[in-house]
Amino acid sequence: MISAVKPTTCTLVVSKGQSRNPAKRGLESAIAQAAGQLDGVEVIMVPHLYDLPKGGESLELLQKIEGDLIVCSWIFSRAAHWVLDRNGIGGATGEVELGADEDDEEELSLPDSESSDSAGDEPEAVDRVTDLYPRPDRTIHCLDLKVSESVDDFIGEIKRILNIAAEPDQSLPIVGGKIVEVDETTSRRWYPVIDFSRCTNCMECIDFCLFGVYGVDGVENILVEQPDNCRKGCPACSRVCPENAIIFPQHKAPAIAGAETEGDEGFKIDLSQLFGAPTDKGDPIATAARERDEQLLLTGREAVGIDDNLKKRQAALSEKPKDNLDRLIDSLDELDL
Protein backbone atom coordinates (compact mmCIF):
# COMPACT_ATOMS: atom_id res chain seq x y z
CA MET A 1 0.00 0.00 0.00
CA ILE A 2 1.25 3.49 -0.82
CA SER A 3 0.19 6.55 1.15
CA ALA A 4 0.68 9.01 -1.69
CA VAL A 5 2.31 9.14 -5.08
CA LYS A 6 5.10 11.68 -5.34
CA PRO A 7 4.12 14.75 -7.40
CA THR A 8 7.15 14.24 -9.65
CA THR A 9 5.72 10.94 -10.92
CA CYS A 10 2.69 10.08 -13.01
CA THR A 11 0.27 7.40 -11.89
CA LEU A 12 -1.27 4.99 -14.38
CA VAL A 13 -4.56 3.50 -13.21
CA VAL A 14 -5.69 0.35 -15.01
CA SER A 15 -9.37 -0.41 -14.39
CA LYS A 16 -10.29 -4.03 -15.02
CA GLY A 17 -13.30 -5.05 -17.06
CA GLN A 18 -16.40 -6.57 -15.49
CA SER A 19 -16.19 -9.87 -17.35
CA ARG A 20 -13.63 -12.66 -17.03
CA ASN A 21 -12.68 -12.33 -20.70
CA PRO A 22 -9.06 -13.62 -20.91
CA ALA A 23 -8.22 -11.27 -23.79
CA LYS A 24 -9.25 -8.26 -21.69
CA ARG A 25 -7.31 -9.53 -18.66
CA GLY A 26 -4.28 -10.08 -20.86
CA LEU A 27 -4.42 -6.56 -22.32
CA GLU A 28 -4.81 -4.98 -18.88
CA SER A 29 -1.86 -6.92 -17.44
CA ALA A 30 0.37 -6.29 -20.44
CA ILE A 31 -0.26 -2.53 -20.29
CA ALA A 32 0.42 -2.48 -16.55
CA GLN A 33 3.64 -4.49 -16.88
CA ALA A 34 4.99 -2.41 -19.77
CA ALA A 35 4.04 0.93 -18.18
CA GLY A 36 5.57 -0.16 -14.89
CA GLN A 37 8.95 -0.28 -16.61
CA LEU A 38 8.78 3.38 -17.62
CA ASP A 39 10.82 5.73 -15.48
CA GLY A 40 8.69 7.68 -13.02
CA VAL A 41 5.45 5.79 -13.64
CA GLU A 42 3.55 4.17 -10.78
CA VAL A 43 0.85 1.66 -11.73
CA ILE A 44 -2.31 0.85 -9.80
CA MET A 45 -4.76 -1.84 -10.91
CA VAL A 46 -8.31 -1.62 -9.57
CA PRO A 47 -11.65 -3.32 -10.31
CA HIS A 48 -14.05 -1.78 -12.82
CA LEU A 49 -14.04 1.98 -12.23
CA TYR A 50 -17.81 2.38 -12.43
CA ASP A 51 -18.48 -0.34 -9.85
CA LEU A 52 -16.15 0.89 -7.09
CA PRO A 53 -18.04 1.38 -3.81
CA LYS A 54 -17.77 4.60 -1.83
CA GLY A 55 -15.35 4.19 1.04
CA GLY A 56 -13.77 1.12 -0.55
CA GLU A 57 -10.05 0.41 -0.68
CA SER A 58 -9.69 1.33 -4.36
CA LEU A 59 -11.22 4.80 -4.08
CA GLU A 60 -9.39 5.54 -0.84
CA LEU A 61 -6.13 4.75 -2.60
CA LEU A 62 -6.95 6.76 -5.71
CA GLN A 63 -8.02 9.76 -3.62
CA LYS A 64 -4.53 9.90 -2.07
CA ILE A 65 -2.76 10.27 -5.40
CA GLU A 66 -1.06 13.59 -6.05
CA GLY A 67 -0.12 14.80 -9.51
CA ASP A 68 -1.30 13.83 -12.96
CA LEU A 69 -3.16 10.64 -13.79
CA ILE A 70 -3.48 8.39 -16.81
CA VAL A 71 -6.49 6.09 -16.55
CA CYS A 72 -7.18 3.06 -18.75
CA SER A 73 -10.72 1.70 -18.48
CA TRP A 74 -13.40 -0.09 -20.48
CA ILE A 75 -15.78 2.87 -20.58
CA PHE A 76 -15.68 5.99 -22.74
CA SER A 77 -13.00 8.49 -21.74
CA ARG A 78 -15.51 11.20 -20.88
CA ALA A 79 -17.45 8.77 -18.68
CA ALA A 80 -14.27 7.67 -16.87
CA HIS A 81 -13.29 11.29 -16.17
CA TRP A 82 -16.61 12.11 -14.51
CA VAL A 83 -16.81 8.82 -12.60
CA LEU A 84 -13.50 9.83 -11.03
CA ASP A 85 -14.73 13.37 -10.41
CA ARG A 86 -17.86 12.21 -8.54
CA ASN A 87 -15.55 10.29 -6.23
CA GLY A 88 -13.37 13.27 -5.37
CA ILE A 89 -10.66 12.59 -7.95
CA GLY A 90 -10.80 15.74 -10.06
CA GLY A 91 -8.64 17.54 -12.57
CA ALA A 92 -8.52 19.00 -16.06
CA THR A 93 -9.32 16.75 -19.00
CA GLY A 94 -6.14 15.72 -20.81
CA GLU A 95 -6.07 15.45 -24.60
CA VAL A 96 -6.02 11.87 -25.88
CA GLU A 97 -5.02 11.05 -29.45
CA LEU A 98 -5.45 7.27 -29.36
CA GLY A 99 -8.81 6.39 -30.87
CA ALA A 100 -9.54 9.94 -32.00
CA ASP A 101 -11.29 9.94 -35.38
CA GLU A 102 -9.86 12.56 -37.72
CA ASP A 103 -13.26 12.87 -39.34
CA ASP A 104 -14.72 13.96 -35.99
CA GLU A 105 -12.53 17.05 -36.09
CA GLU A 106 -13.93 18.24 -39.42
CA GLU A 107 -16.73 20.75 -39.10
CA LEU A 108 -19.89 20.42 -41.14
CA SER A 109 -19.52 22.23 -44.46
CA LEU A 110 -22.47 24.54 -44.93
CA PRO A 111 -23.37 26.86 -47.80
CA ASP A 112 -22.23 30.45 -47.25
CA SER A 113 -25.85 31.60 -47.09
CA GLU A 114 -26.45 29.19 -44.21
CA SER A 115 -23.60 30.43 -42.05
CA SER A 116 -24.48 30.47 -38.36
CA ASP A 117 -22.94 33.84 -37.59
CA SER A 118 -26.26 35.67 -37.49
CA ALA A 119 -27.12 37.13 -34.12
CA GLY A 120 -30.34 35.16 -33.85
CA ASP A 121 -28.55 31.80 -33.99
CA GLU A 122 -25.93 32.57 -31.36
CA PRO A 123 -26.61 30.60 -28.16
CA GLU A 124 -26.73 32.51 -24.91
CA ALA A 125 -23.65 32.24 -22.73
CA VAL A 126 -24.33 30.08 -19.70
CA ASP A 127 -22.28 29.21 -16.65
CA ARG A 128 -21.25 25.60 -16.34
CA VAL A 129 -20.61 24.12 -12.93
CA THR A 130 -16.90 23.79 -13.68
CA ASP A 131 -16.76 27.50 -14.56
CA LEU A 132 -18.05 28.35 -11.11
CA TYR A 133 -16.13 25.63 -9.28
CA PRO A 134 -12.86 24.84 -11.11
CA ARG A 135 -11.31 21.42 -10.61
CA PRO A 136 -7.85 20.79 -9.06
CA ASP A 137 -4.78 21.95 -10.96
CA ARG A 138 -3.72 18.65 -12.47
CA THR A 139 -4.43 16.73 -15.65
CA ILE A 140 -6.25 13.43 -16.02
CA HIS A 141 -5.89 11.55 -19.31
CA CYS A 142 -8.49 8.81 -19.75
CA LEU A 143 -7.81 6.09 -22.33
CA ASP A 144 -10.61 3.87 -23.60
CA LEU A 145 -9.42 0.25 -23.70
CA LYS A 146 -12.09 -0.55 -26.31
CA VAL A 147 -10.32 1.39 -29.06
CA SER A 148 -7.44 -1.04 -29.65
CA GLU A 149 -6.25 -4.57 -28.90
CA SER A 150 -2.60 -3.55 -29.19
CA VAL A 151 -0.47 -3.03 -26.07
CA ASP A 152 1.94 -0.99 -28.19
CA ASP A 153 -0.82 1.47 -29.08
CA PHE A 154 -1.53 2.20 -25.42
CA ILE A 155 2.12 2.36 -24.39
CA GLY A 156 2.79 4.66 -27.33
CA GLU A 157 0.00 6.99 -26.20
CA ILE A 158 1.24 6.91 -22.61
CA LYS A 159 4.72 7.83 -23.84
CA ARG A 160 3.27 10.65 -25.93
CA ILE A 161 1.41 12.02 -22.92
CA LEU A 162 4.56 11.82 -20.78
CA ASN A 163 6.73 13.19 -23.61
CA ILE A 164 8.93 10.11 -23.58
CA ALA A 165 10.82 9.56 -26.82
CA ALA A 166 10.20 6.23 -28.53
CA GLU A 167 13.14 3.83 -28.26
CA PRO A 168 14.24 2.25 -31.57
CA ASP A 169 14.70 -1.24 -30.09
CA GLN A 170 11.47 -0.97 -28.08
CA SER A 171 13.28 -2.41 -25.06
CA LEU A 172 12.26 -0.81 -21.76
CA PRO A 173 14.73 -0.75 -18.87
CA ILE A 174 13.26 -1.67 -15.51
CA VAL A 175 13.81 1.39 -13.32
CA GLY A 176 11.95 0.89 -10.09
CA GLY A 177 8.44 0.87 -11.45
CA LYS A 178 5.81 -0.40 -9.04
CA ILE A 179 2.48 -2.12 -9.62
CA VAL A 180 -0.10 -2.04 -6.84
CA GLU A 181 -3.13 -4.26 -7.42
CA VAL A 182 -6.24 -3.82 -5.31
CA ASP A 183 -8.16 -7.05 -4.83
CA GLU A 184 -11.54 -5.64 -3.88
CA THR A 185 -14.90 -7.37 -4.28
CA THR A 186 -17.37 -5.30 -6.28
CA SER A 187 -20.77 -5.84 -7.87
CA ARG A 188 -22.19 -4.41 -11.06
CA ARG A 189 -23.87 -1.06 -10.59
CA TRP A 190 -26.13 1.30 -12.55
CA TYR A 191 -26.31 5.01 -11.75
CA PRO A 192 -26.02 8.36 -13.55
CA VAL A 193 -22.77 10.31 -13.76
CA ILE A 194 -22.88 14.09 -14.28
CA ASP A 195 -20.52 15.84 -16.69
CA PHE A 196 -20.09 19.12 -14.82
CA SER A 197 -18.30 20.73 -17.76
CA ARG A 198 -21.71 20.71 -19.47
CA CYS A 199 -24.08 20.90 -16.49
CA THR A 200 -25.72 24.30 -15.89
CA ASN A 201 -27.38 23.26 -12.63
CA CYS A 202 -30.83 23.64 -14.17
CA MET A 203 -32.28 20.96 -11.85
CA GLU A 204 -34.40 19.33 -14.58
CA CYS A 205 -32.99 15.93 -13.61
CA ILE A 206 -34.01 16.25 -9.96
CA ASP A 207 -37.49 17.38 -11.02
CA PHE A 208 -37.84 14.48 -13.45
CA CYS A 209 -36.46 11.60 -11.38
CA LEU A 210 -39.02 10.14 -8.96
CA PHE A 211 -36.69 7.66 -7.29
CA GLY A 212 -34.64 9.98 -5.07
CA VAL A 213 -31.40 9.60 -7.01
CA TYR A 214 -30.54 13.30 -7.21
CA GLY A 215 -29.98 15.88 -4.50
CA VAL A 216 -28.05 19.11 -3.92
CA ASP A 217 -24.87 19.82 -2.01
CA GLY A 218 -24.11 22.60 0.46
CA VAL A 219 -23.81 25.24 -2.28
CA GLU A 220 -26.96 24.09 -4.10
CA ASN A 221 -25.17 22.21 -6.87
CA ILE A 222 -26.87 19.14 -8.28
CA LEU A 223 -25.33 15.81 -7.34
CA VAL A 224 -26.11 12.11 -7.57
CA GLU A 225 -26.96 11.69 -3.90
CA GLN A 226 -28.37 8.15 -3.82
CA PRO A 227 -26.82 6.39 -6.84
CA ASP A 228 -28.07 2.93 -5.90
CA ASN A 229 -31.68 4.18 -5.90
CA CYS A 230 -31.42 4.35 -9.70
CA ARG A 231 -33.47 1.77 -11.55
CA LYS A 232 -31.19 -0.64 -13.41
CA GLY A 233 -31.26 -0.15 -17.17
CA CYS A 234 -33.24 3.12 -17.04
CA PRO A 235 -31.49 6.11 -18.70
CA ALA A 236 -34.58 8.33 -18.84
CA CYS A 237 -33.11 11.35 -17.03
CA SER A 238 -30.29 11.57 -19.57
CA ARG A 239 -32.87 12.14 -22.32
CA VAL A 240 -34.41 15.18 -20.63
CA CYS A 241 -31.11 16.90 -19.74
CA PRO A 242 -30.91 20.04 -21.92
CA GLU A 243 -27.09 19.94 -22.01
CA ASN A 244 -26.52 16.19 -22.58
CA ALA A 245 -24.65 16.22 -19.27
CA ILE A 246 -25.94 12.95 -17.79
CA ILE A 247 -23.97 9.79 -18.57
CA PHE A 248 -24.81 6.14 -18.01
CA PRO A 249 -21.43 4.50 -18.76
CA GLN A 250 -22.90 1.01 -19.32
CA HIS A 251 -25.68 2.02 -21.72
CA LYS A 252 -25.52 0.55 -25.22
CA ALA A 253 -26.09 3.92 -26.93
CA PRO A 254 -22.73 5.75 -27.20
CA ALA A 255 -24.27 9.22 -26.73
CA ILE A 256 -25.78 8.15 -23.40
CA ALA A 257 -22.70 6.12 -22.39
CA GLY A 258 -20.38 9.13 -22.64
CA ALA A 259 -19.11 9.28 -26.20
CA GLU A 260 -17.81 12.71 -27.18
CA THR A 261 -20.84 14.11 -28.99
CA GLU A 262 -20.29 17.73 -27.89
CA GLY A 263 -24.00 18.45 -27.93
CA ASP A 264 -25.90 18.93 -31.20
CA GLU A 265 -22.86 20.17 -33.09
CA GLY A 266 -20.97 16.92 -32.53
CA PHE A 267 -23.89 14.65 -33.39
CA LYS A 268 -22.68 11.74 -35.54
CA ILE A 269 -24.85 11.70 -38.63
CA ASP A 270 -26.00 8.43 -40.18
CA LEU A 271 -26.40 9.43 -43.84
CA SER A 272 -28.52 6.34 -44.53
CA GLN A 273 -31.14 7.79 -42.20
CA LEU A 274 -30.95 11.16 -43.94
CA PHE A 275 -31.89 9.43 -47.18
CA GLY A 276 -34.87 7.52 -45.89
CA ALA A 277 -33.66 4.58 -43.83
CA PRO A 278 -35.93 3.82 -40.87
CA THR A 279 -35.01 5.03 -37.42
CA ASP A 280 -36.40 4.17 -33.99
CA LYS A 281 -35.07 7.20 -32.15
CA GLY A 282 -38.44 8.93 -31.77
CA ASP A 283 -39.14 11.80 -29.41
CA PRO A 284 -36.61 11.69 -26.55
CA ILE A 285 -39.07 13.27 -24.12
CA ALA A 286 -41.78 10.72 -24.89
CA THR A 287 -39.19 7.94 -24.61
CA ALA A 288 -38.03 9.25 -21.24
CA ALA A 289 -41.60 9.42 -19.96
CA ARG A 290 -42.25 5.85 -21.09
CA GLU A 291 -39.04 4.58 -19.46
CA ARG A 292 -39.90 6.34 -16.21
CA ASP A 293 -43.44 4.94 -16.23
CA GLU A 294 -42.12 1.41 -16.74
CA GLN A 295 -39.96 1.72 -13.64
CA LEU A 296 -42.76 3.30 -11.60
CA LEU A 297 -45.08 0.40 -12.44
CA LEU A 298 -42.39 -2.13 -11.52
CA THR A 299 -42.24 -0.59 -8.05
CA GLY A 300 -46.04 -0.67 -7.64
CA ARG A 301 -46.53 3.04 -8.25
CA GLU A 302 -48.78 4.80 -10.77
CA ALA A 303 -47.57 5.92 -14.16
CA VAL A 304 -47.12 9.67 -14.63
CA GLY A 305 -46.70 10.02 -18.38
CA ILE A 306 -45.77 13.35 -19.94
CA ASP A 307 -46.45 15.77 -17.11
CA ASP A 308 -46.51 19.57 -17.30
CA ASN A 309 -42.74 19.90 -16.84
CA LEU A 310 -42.08 17.50 -19.73
CA LYS A 311 -44.59 19.30 -21.94
CA LYS A 312 -42.69 22.54 -21.36
CA ARG A 313 -39.46 20.73 -22.22
CA GLN A 314 -40.95 19.45 -25.48
CA ALA A 315 -42.09 22.95 -26.38
CA ALA A 316 -38.64 24.36 -25.62
CA LEU A 317 -37.03 21.78 -27.90
CA SER A 318 -39.32 22.66 -30.79
CA GLU A 319 -38.62 26.38 -30.38
CA LYS A 320 -34.86 25.93 -30.18
CA PRO A 321 -32.86 27.81 -32.88
CA LYS A 322 -31.58 25.66 -35.72
CA ASP A 323 -28.15 24.13 -35.26
CA ASN A 324 -25.61 22.88 -37.82
CA LEU A 325 -27.42 19.57 -38.26
CA ASP A 326 -30.76 21.29 -38.93
CA ARG A 327 -29.15 23.59 -41.48
CA LEU A 328 -27.37 20.71 -43.19
CA ILE A 329 -30.65 18.82 -43.57
CA ASP A 330 -32.36 21.98 -44.87
CA SER A 331 -29.61 22.43 -47.47
CA LEU A 332 -30.00 18.80 -48.59
CA ASP A 333 -33.75 19.31 -48.97
CA GLU A 334 -33.04 22.17 -51.36
CA LEU A 335 -30.90 19.97 -53.60
CA ASP A 336 -32.48 17.94 -56.40
CA LEU A 337 -31.15 14.52 -55.28
Side-chain angles (χ1 to χ4, degrees), residues 21 37 44 67 82 102 144 178 202-203 210 276 287 308 321 333:
N21 186 311
Q37 297 178 47
I44 299 175
W82 294 105
E102 293 181 0
D144 184 352
K178 182 192 298 184
C202 70
M203 301 293 170
L210 301 178
T287 301
D308 290 341
D333 287 340

Side-chain angles (χ1 to χ4, degrees), residues 84-101:
L84 290 168
D85 185 87
R86 79 171 299 276
N87 288 297
I89 306 159
T93 302
E95 180 183 357
V96 173
E97 293 184 0
L98 179 62
D101 188 345

